[in-house]
Amino acid sequence: MALNIDLDLCTGCGACVAVCPFCALTQRASDGKVEVNEACTACGACVEVCPVGALSLAAAPAAPAAAAPGAFRGLWVVAEQRRGRLQEVAFELLGKGRELADQLGVRLGAVLLGYGVGDCVAPLFEHGADRVYVVDHPALEAYTSEPYAEAMSELIRRHKPEIVLAGATSIGRGFIARVAIQVNTGLTADCTELAVDPETRQLLQTRPAFGGNILATILCPNHRPQMATVRPKVFARPAPEAGRTGERLDETVELKAPVVRVLETVNAMQNEVNVAGAEFIVTGGRGLGGAENFKLLAELADALGGAAVGASRAAVDAGWISSFHQVGQTGKTVRPKIYIACGVSGQIQHLVGMSSSDTIIAINKDPEAPIFAVADIGIVGGLFEVVPELIKALRQ
Amino acid sequence: MHIVVCVKQVPNTTQVRIHPETNTLVRDGVESVMNPFDENALEMALQLKEKHPGTKVTALTMGPAQAAAVLKEAVGRGADEVMLLCDKAFAGSDTWATSYALSRAIGTLEPKPDLVLFGKQAIDGDTAQVGPGVADWLGLPCITYAFGIEVAGGQAVVQRAFEDGYERLEVALPCALTVLKEANVPRMASLRGKMAAKKLEIAPVTAEQIGADPSRIGLTASPTRVVKIFSPPPKTGGVKWQGEEPAAMARKLVEALRERQVI
Ligand SMILES: Cc1cc2nc3c(=O)[nH]c(=O)nc-3n(C[C@H](O)[C@H](O)[C@H](O)COP(=O)(O)OP(=O)(O)OC[C@H]3O[C@@H](n4cnc5c(N)ncnc54)[C@H](O)[C@@H]3O)c2cc1C
Ligand SMILES: Nc1ncnc2c1ncn2[C@@H]1O[C@H](COP(=O)(O)O)[C@@H](O)[C@H]1O
């Protein structure tokens, strides 16, 4: 155990029990003194609150290094493509990756996995990549996690980057977790902030936990590469530099045929604007009261010149709209120019998905609703009164 | 068929609040529950069991002694067997070390599982990494974000969601899936199940019993380290209009947006 409890000092006040994010501390029935269980991650949250200094962290012996960290150089991002189209998150990662690579004084690499995806190379250079590693292989035509992980792991072993970033998308999250096992390193999910310490060359990975109630900064001190996933829309897409080029490396990797076969692909959002990536979003919550009232929001979306319609989880759970529209912790993260929340209370799980929108507007009849704390403009009022007036005003 | 479902006990994060003055986590009175997505994974297993008589469902968890509660819940709903991995040596495991430990535990189960199910993610850590990680240790294919499955003749046809649609995939068993809440509506424990759960004595299984390599478990083996935990900076709102006519507020809003040149 890395957490030490000095039972002579412990007064049984319980201050630490209340702050432990992991429910790892309990008070003994006999005398109220504190015990630690297996859920402890040695995060130290309890140490700070103990009024009598009974808690301390013993330096845990370092995990055996997979390889000397110094042998690894360079920062890579996974250039996610689907059906030959680069995904937005690839550009967002290049933007942040460029900044971090410059601080470390290393080259920025983009890894492009797929089949017949040559057209994707040039935009990667234009958005900041110095090198593009391409694995063009029939086994990578449709995404399945096994060959994607195999190819990525092989490139990592071959070129030894010190940092690898991937999108926290259904694809990125799916295969990069396997890569972490295959190359024997740590992986931090869904980071919202990344920084590097140029001296130690460590990646400071900050991410929300417990439904966004707390943030944790995580390091991967002794294993390389340091790997993290980042949700779409967390970082801004950089402006492209037309004509910028770099070095293209075509990598030959032996891959087994995919064990998972794609029978059919269905795009469920054919006629709708996808909230992920939309510039304008109007979102309906439980306050909308029923599926039919999403028509009102569709009208508002139309009046805005083609906005996407989003939904809170409450609206999705009620069956008023499909889960593809859900914004939030278990839905999508969005970063539109305008986000209009109608009848959404603004619970933390919703806020983590939309609070970095440029302009947030909230319409809610409850003046105390937490959504007003993040709204740039809050309108206290019934949505069935305000929204029709808003549609009128927009159309004038 | 033998189906293993990995279930985790988590604090109900919707009840967690930040103390406005001390800016620390208030967890008083927050109950521990079965991770919601794991309920869907368990339900998927139980529905397969109903369709395919002779199927055995094993619920597996790694955690402190009180995590036995989620195994009892699983038995209440219809799981046949349980395993509680509980050993101080596992403490502080990150997803890498957790994946290893769970894979070792699954390796000791008889007969060899045909399906290993996980929730899409655990709501305390939200990493979604343990499922694919375990699959990798076990050398199994893994389909993430699954919401439907049919099994016939040693093959599974699985529906998996993407951001904007879904796919139907075919894979030979054994394989691993991570399951979405869209998959089903989890059942409640039955009365008979509750009785069985009550009687159940769950003996903790140690790291040694699953033959776990001590250098691959717990905090020391975990590549990642939490170095700081803090509360998000308090949000500051903008203007709030109230008590005016809806039409007046709507006009003001449109003006404000035009002024900011966003429309
Ligand atoms: C693990 C986990 C993950 C979650 N993930 C998500 C997620 O991804 N996304 C998400 O949204 N939620 C998520 N939630 C759920 C979240 O905690 C809230 O329950 C949910 O966001 C509430 O939705 P709501 O605001 O629509 O409903 P409510 O909280 O019920 O709010 C409805 C609001 O509408 C207002 N209202 C009612 N009538 C009117 C009217 N006529 N005019 C104007 N206003 C009106 C009310 O004042 C109220 O503020 C998650 C929860 C958990 C536990
Ligand atoms: N300690 C654990 N015991 C059993 N299953 C777990 C444990 N941790 C994670 N899992 C499983 O892995 C899934 C993903 O968890 P996570 O990667 O932590 O988001 C969960 O939904 C569970 O099915």
Side-chain angles (χ1 to χ4, degrees):
Chain A
M1 283 310 304
L3 179 71
N4 287 330
I5 304 175
D6 188 333
L7 287 177
D8 294 333
L9 292 178
C10 178
T11 61
C13 73
C16 54
V17 175
V19 300
C20 174
F22 304 96
C23 301
L25 296 168
T26 45
Q27 285 175 277
R28 297 202 294 224
S30 55
D31 56 3
K33 290 186 191 245
V34 165
E35 285 180 322
V36 60
N37 68 34
E38 290 83 342
C40 176
T41 67
C43 74
C46 56
V47 176
E48 286 166 35
V49 300
C50 179
V52 295
L55 301 172
S56 59
L57 284 177
F72 290 70
R73 272 287 179 277
L75 189 151
W76 283 8
V77 306
V78 173
E80 181 176 323
Q81 58 80 24
R82 281 182 67 192
R83 287 175 234 110
R85 273 197 52 209
L86 283 170
Q87 301 296 294
E88 277 296 305
V89 70
F91 300 117
E92 295 158 16
L93 290 176
L94 283 174
K96 187 70 187 180
R98 182 74 265 166
E99 180 193 321
L100 299 176
D102 289 343
Q103 284 170 27
L104 289 170
V106 295
R107 271 189 283 243
L108 175 62
V111 177
L112 181 62
L113 308 176
Y115 187 49
V117 289
D119 289 349
C120 297
V121 175
L124 296 171
F125 290 131
E126 292 183 342
H127 286 82
D130 299 314
R131 280 181 167 170
V132 177
Y133 300 85
V134 184
V135 183
D136 207 62
H137 194 290
L140 303 173
E141 181 168 15
Y143 164 76
T144 58
S145 71
E146 295 73 25
Y148 269 70
E150 225 179 296
M152 189 71 201
S153 298
E154 176 53 31
L155 289 194
I156 289 174
R157 284 187 211 106
R158 218 176 263 177
H159 297 285
K160 297 189 171 38
E162 62 195 304
I163 294 173
V164 175
L165 308 177
T169 56
S170 55
I171 288 182
R173 275 177 144 197
F175 83 91
I176 213 79
R178 296 191 80 122
V179 173
I181 305 299
Q182 290 174 11
V183 303
N184 185 23
T185 193
L187 173 62
T188 307
D190 283 16
C191 298
T192 51
E193 236 178 273
L194 292 172
V196 288
D197 178 340
E199 224 155 86
T200 60
R201 306 188 77 80
Q202 300 225 30
L203 180 67
L204 283 75
Q205 310 160 91
T206 298
R207 66 181 305 265
F210 293 91
N213 285 296
I214 57 170
L215 294 170
T217 301
I218 293 167
L219 296 182
C220 179
N222 300 310
H223 291 65
R224 293 292 178 275
Q226 308 168 80
M227 303 211 305
T229 62
V230 178
R231 280 193 147 201
K233 296 290 161 187
V234 165
F235 297 127
R237 180 190 171 129
E241 198 185 312
R244 187 179 181 282
T245 60
E247 189 184 351
R248 170 178 170 155
L249 293 111
D250 288 285
E251 299 280 332
T252 316
V253 178
E254 302 247 343
L255 296 174
K256 290 193 264 317
V259 287
V260 177
R261 212 159 61 84
V262 181
L263 303 176
E264 181 191 13
T265 304
V266 180
N267 182 348
M269 307 262 319
Q270 260 147 3
N271 301 315
E272 294 164 293
V273 186
N274 194 341
V275 285
E279 300 232 304
F280 298 151
I281 298 175
V282 291
T283 288
R286 204 196 312 265
L288 220 50
E292 64 288 357
N293 295 328
F294 267 99
K295 281 208 204 85
L296 183 62
L297 291 198
E299 244 183 88
L300 176 57
D302 186 56
L304 279 162
V309 174
S312 73
R313 172 152 161 196
V316 171
D317 282 354
W320 301 341
I321 189 163
S322 86
S323 62
F324 294 110
H325 297 263
Q326 185 177 317
V327 172
Q329 185 195 352
T330 40
K332 289 167 186 163
T333 305
V334 298
R335 195 178 186 168
K337 287 198 179 125
I338 305 182
Y339 189 88
I340 306 183
C342 308
V344 174
S345 61
Q347 298 307 312
I348 186 81
Q349 294 87 0
H350 190 79
L351 300 185
V352 294
M354 47 63 76
S355 57
S356 60
S357 306
D358 291 350
T359 300
I360 297 171
I361 294 150
I363 303 170
N364 195 308
K365 63 180 182 189
D366 172 12
E368 301 304 320
I371 190 80
F372 287 123
V374 299
D376 298 281
I377 300 175
I379 295 183
V380 181
L383 74 96
F384 298 108
E385 290 77 48
V386 177
V387 173
E389 292 296 341
L390 188 54
I391 293 169
K392 244 195 265 168
L394 282 166
R395 293 220 157 117
Q396 268 166 20
Chain B
M1 241 189 324
H2 183 197
I3 307 176
V4 176
V5 187
C6 292
V7 293
K8 186 179 188 189
Q9 188 180 46
V10 295
N12 187 344
T13 54
T14 40
Q15 298 173 351
V16 179
R17 291 281 170 275
I18 298 295
H19 193 284
E21 274 148 40
T22 58
N23 217 23
T24 51
L25 206 67
V26 183
R27 237 210 29 241
D28 280 336
V30 173
E31 49 173 2
S32 290
V33 294
M34 184 189 294
N35 180 41
F37 294 101
D38 302 354
E39 293 186 82
N40 299 105
L42 176 63
E43 180 62 32
M44 184 180 270
L46 295 174
Q47 289 184 8
L48 282 168
K49 179 179 153 181
E50 283 162 359
K51 266 195 221 148
H52 302 272
T55 295
K56 176 167 92 167
V57 175
T58 301
L60 164 67
T61 196
M62 178 175 108
Q66 56 265 38
V70 291
L71 297 179
K72 294 204 162 198
E73 179 64 36
V75 168
R77 294 182 194 201
D80 302 290
E81 285 180 20
V82 298
M83 184 189 244
L84 170 64
L85 269 190
C86 181
D87 191 324
K88 289 250 190 262
F90 295 125
S93 294
D94 71 356
T95 58
W96 191 96
T98 301
S99 305
Y100 171 74
L102 291 174
S103 73
R104 290 302 304 189
I106 292 167
T108 66
L109 297 175
E110 294 285 344
K112 290 245 162 295
D114 302 284
L115 263 180
V116 184
L117 304 184
F118 302 85
K120 170 197 164 198
Q121 61 195 56
I123 63 166
D124 52 352
D126 276 332
T127 79
Q129 288 171 183
V130 168
V134 173
D136 208 77
W137 282 110
L138 293 172
L140 296 181
C142 180
I143 298 174
T144 50
Y145 297 20
F147 64 97
I149 185 171
E150 304 275 343
V151 174
Q155 299 272 326
V157 172
V158 177
Q159 285 166 292
R160 68 110 63 202
F162 277 109
E163 281 78 1
D164 57 359
Y166 60 91
E167 272 178 358
R168 277 193 324 123
L169 304 167
E170 189 181 49
V171 63
L173 301 182
C175 81
L177 305 184
T178 78
V179 179
L180 296 179
K181 75 173 192 307
E182 284 78 6
N184 48 48
V185 179
R187 70 192 67 190
M188 311 274 255
S190 67
L191 207 59
R192 236 181 81 215
K194 278 185 187 160
M195 302 280 283
K198 210 167 185 182
K199 272 190 255 146
L200 189 71
E201 300 236 351
I202 302 175
V205 172
T206 63
E208 203 186 328
Q209 283 171 297
I210 57 166
D213 173 351
S215 74
R216 287 180 169 172
I217 55 172
L219 186 67
T220 36
S222 296
T224 62
R225 285 293 147 84
V226 179
V227 290
K228 193 169 127 199
I229 287 216
F230 56 106
S231 305
K235 303 263 161 34
T236 47
V239 295
K240 191 153 88 180
W241 302 331
Q242 58 182 318
E244 296 168 54
E245 281 301 311
M249 292 193 284
R251 275 196 305 273
K252 247 166 68 175
L253 176 59
V254 174
E255 268 164 40
L257 294 180
R258 295 215 163 109
E259 233 162 70
R260 290 171 188 226
Q261 298 190 323
V262 278
I263 54 170

